Amino acid sequence: MTSRYDILFQPIKIGPVTAPNRFYQVPHCNGFGHRMPQGMAAMRGMKAEGGWGVVCTEETEIHYTSDLSPFIEGRIWSDDDIPAWQLMNEAIHKHGALAGIELTYNGYDAANLYSRAAPFAPRSQGLVGGSGYEPGQSRAATKDDLKQIRKWHRNAAVRAKRAGFNIIYCYAAHNLSLAFHLLSKDNDRSDEYGGSLENRVRFFRELIEDTKEAVGDTCAVAVRFAVDELLGKDGMQFDGEGHDIVAMLAELPDLWDVNVSNWSNDSTTSRFEKEGNQEKYISFVKKLTTKPVVGVGRYTSPDSMASAIERGIMDLIGAARPSIADPFLPNKIKEGRNEDIRECIGCNICVTGDTRFVPIRCTQNPTMGEEWRRGWRPEIIVPKKSDDEILIVGAGPAGLEAARALGQRGYHVVLTDAKREAGGRVTLESALPNLSEWRRVIDWRITQIEKISNIFYRSSPMTAKDILETEAPHVIIATGSTWRRDGVGRNISRPVPGSAKIFTPDDLMDPNNLQLINWRQAARPQKILVYDDDHYYMGGVLAELLAQNNCEVTLITPAPTISYWTQFTLEQERILKRLHNLKVTLLADHIIASHTPTTATVTNVITSAESTLDCDAIVMVTDRIPNDALYHELKPALAEGKLKSLRLIGDAEAPNIIAQAIFNGHLAAREFDEMINPDETPFKVERIKF
């Protein structure tokens, strides 16, 4: 039978090699890098097994003078680095996929904190690698320096070929590489590498030509190029120089991998952009070249993928985040199991693996990053070891994932929740402004649970007495947490004194709470203070919600900037811009000291100066209290032998991000009926052998 999606499984010739299908995992960072090659190999190999026809590395340093520390990326500085890449490529080739490597020389974006070498750049200019505000400058690259860099790039390409790579990149994207810097507004050189566009393209052209000459007989040479910086006339534009550069180099590489710059624009969260958002920028490329084109846009829908190819936007569907959320996405489409696809929710928790220097993780896919060290696979789990029944109390993200995974193992599971609708915090949070795609977390799990006959769901509040009366031998408590309303959090250790009307996120997300309606219908705009000591998305999203409901909002935080942690998910600048557009007053470096029904006294955490702000109410976004009372009430029954096991998971154990709740639920399912030694590390650690 023919299928609408047959086009996605056509082989595509890329220079001297052929991709088995149109699913292309573009280069993406992951926190493994040169530090954890076995974890890297297992993670990439899993994607190849799941059907991705091309699987690429992250940006890979070609020389010690382009050291990207503190970020843990790939390295191919010398022949000593080849074995680690061979390990990864063997895992990829085992499943018939092609392996690609993104070679990079990052200029002033490489702070060289490890090597302590002077980075090269078009001119001597401030370093932006590392923190983004490094106290140093680059060295202006001479023409001899550029020749030397070309030599290093060529050497790295030859090593990559020896390591077994099929596709080798020349990189000019994300405002990172020296090649891109020479193309851009930062290039004010007066020699043949500056001035006219032809001159500024010269170095990039030379890199491509060198690479094709060195390895082009058996390896495809790809170009990764950002066609627009989203800076308007202050940067490269897709209908200006971006277009002209593609036209100048159109037939030179074997493949064009095109996107927008910088990384925060290329990997925008779903809070700000939807599927296919880059099409308007990259659609011109195929009109200028006969070579295959790959583009990205967080495609999760098979129909959108097929449409992008049919409409001539691209030849291969590029993906980073969708391949993380579901490494088996291609195989599921091929098998007609579209409803089983774990769709990426666009939260960018995967990005924090790189930005926080730890192994990659994913909200939707709790096995991501655990392939080697725990031996986890996204589609396969160890079968049950007993016929015991398990009662799970709480159907939020942790409870749903625990029930789903235990059911997949074959256990008989009863899942209960006090509310009729499952989903817990995710159901409520996904109804907040622009977070609707987060509902995929519960929708996918409910879809899977409905397919498993040995899982039963019922909505019923449960007391300790009720639980014991079920005679279930094993109980998992996943009852979530409750936001504090007394202001206690990271920066305030005692309840804030006062008599103001206090609300929490729980209040504002409660569909039965009429407070938002009352504020929206009030005769005058209500003055609301949002005190954010959580520092992730909640404070900013609630400020946005209130501003849309007839409120004059002041967002206060003890942190040096608003929504501080969202810098690691690449969305902080967009959050600030949106709040400014909504006329939200932003006040960083302040805590709430006290409050009355009409005012709040706030203290500057730097100067200790106090000031008074008018307010009609305060929304406290601080710590959460674990809802663990049931667990503690049941512990005596465990001690008395009335229960075989009792476990606390998710936010009820320790409030955290949704990804951690999902992981914790999955871990509980994997560890059930297993002997766990608390004195031993429960996962493998990569170590140097002496």
Side-chain angles (χ1 to χ4, degrees), residues 451-679:
K451 293 183 176 185
I452 302 173
S453 61
N454 46 298
I455 302 178
F456 300 90
Y457 176 74
R458 65 188 186 202
S459 57
S460 174
M462 299 289 284
T463 65
K465 181 174 180 292
D466 296 331
I467 291 170
L468 293 174
E469 286 179 351
T470 68
E471 297 185 348
H474 304 277
V475 177
I476 296 175
I477 303 297
T479 42
S481 62
T482 302
W483 289 92
R484 298 186 71 123
R485 64 178 64 245
D486 56 8
V488 171
R490 289 170 176 79
N491 288 273
I492 300 175
S493 57
R494 295 182 180 86
V496 178
S499 54
K501 293 179 181 177
I502 302 295
F503 297 90
T504 72
D506 291 324
D507 298 326
L508 299 185
M509 292 188 294
D510 183 352
N512 298 316
N513 191 310
L514 301 178
Q515 191 58 58
L516 276 176
I517 296 175
N518 293 338
W519 286 339
R520 185 166 61 245
Q521 296 176 348
R524 63 168 178 82
Q526 299 294 287
K527 296 180 183 294
I528 310 296
L529 303 186
V530 177
Y531 176 61
D532 183 12
D533 200 12
D534 177 63
H535 311 294
Y536 189 19
Y537 56 88
M538 185 60 74
V541 170
L542 291 182
E544 186 178 340
L545 175 69
L546 292 164
Q548 295 169 352
N549 282 272
N550 193 37
C551 295
E552 293 181 3
V553 184
T554 298
L555 179 54
I556 303 168
T557 182
T561 186
I562 302 299
S563 301
Y564 183 90
W565 203 76
T566 61
Q567 65 182 292
F568 304 120
T569 55
L570 308 181
E571 56 188 332
Q572 187 181 43
E573 288 186 10
R574 280 183 166 80
I575 291 170
L576 291 171
K577 183 177 180 179
R578 178 166 287 171
L579 294 175
H580 279 300
N581 290 341
L582 290 169
K583 296 181 170 52
V584 174
T585 300
L586 306 178
L587 190 61
D589 290 320
H590 281 76
I591 61 172
I592 292 183
S594 63
H595 47 77
T596 74
T598 57
T599 64
T601 299
V602 298
T603 303
N604 187 303
V605 298
I606 307 297
T607 67
S608 298
E610 288 192 347
S611 55
T612 301
L613 303 176
D614 293 335
C615 66
D616 295 300
I618 299 171
V619 179
M620 295 290 191
V621 188
T622 58
D623 277 358
R624 287 173 278 165
I625 300 172
N627 297 332
D628 56 4
L630 266 180
Y631 172 78
H632 292 292
E633 289 177 38
L634 290 168
K635 284 187 74 175
L638 178 66
E640 295 166 6
K642 296 177 181 177
L643 295 174
K644 289 185 178 181
S645 72
L646 174 66
R647 183 159 184 165
L648 187 65
I649 66 171
D651 289 346
E653 179 188 32
N656 209 311
I657 59 176
I658 296 170
Q660 186 64 17
I662 294 288
F663 172 83
N664 202 232
H666 192 81
L667 180 67
R670 293 265 184 179
E671 291 185 343
F672 185 78
D673 265 350
E674 301 290 339
M675 294 296 295
I676 306 299
N677 185 342
D679 297 325

Side-chain angles (χ1 to χ4, degrees), residues 217-250:
D217 56 336
T218 59
C219 298
V221 176
V223 157
R224 198 176 199 193
F225 175 54
V227 301
D228 203 301
E229 294 181 83
L230 304 190
L231 296 173
K233 295 181 180 179
D234 291 333
M236 189 179 299
Q237 294 179 277
F238 75 98
D239 53 358
E241 286 195 347
H243 173 281
D244 297 340
I245 291 168
V246 174
M248 293 171 70
L249 304 175

Side-chain angles (χ1 to χ4, degrees), residues 407-466:
Q408 183 185 1
R409 291 187 66 183
Y411 287 101
H412 183 278
V413 180
V414 176
L415 175 64
T416 72
D417 195 274
K419 296 182 179 180
R420 172 172 289 185
E421 183 179 9
R425 61 179 287 195
V426 176
T427 298
L428 300 174
E429 292 181 20
S430 62
L432 291 170
N434 303 297
L435 296 184
S436 59
E437 289 190 45
W438 290 26
R439 189 178 170 87
R440 292 173 175 177
V441 170
I442 57 174
D443 287 345
W444 182 81
R445 284 164 177 81
I446 290 173
T447 297
Q448 300 307 307
I449 285 171
E450 288 174 345
K451 293 183 176 185
I452 302 173
S453 61
N454 46 298
I455 302 178
F456 300 90
Y457 176 74
R458 65 188 186 202
S459 57
S460 174
M462 299 289 284
T463 65
K465 181 174 180 292
D466 296 331

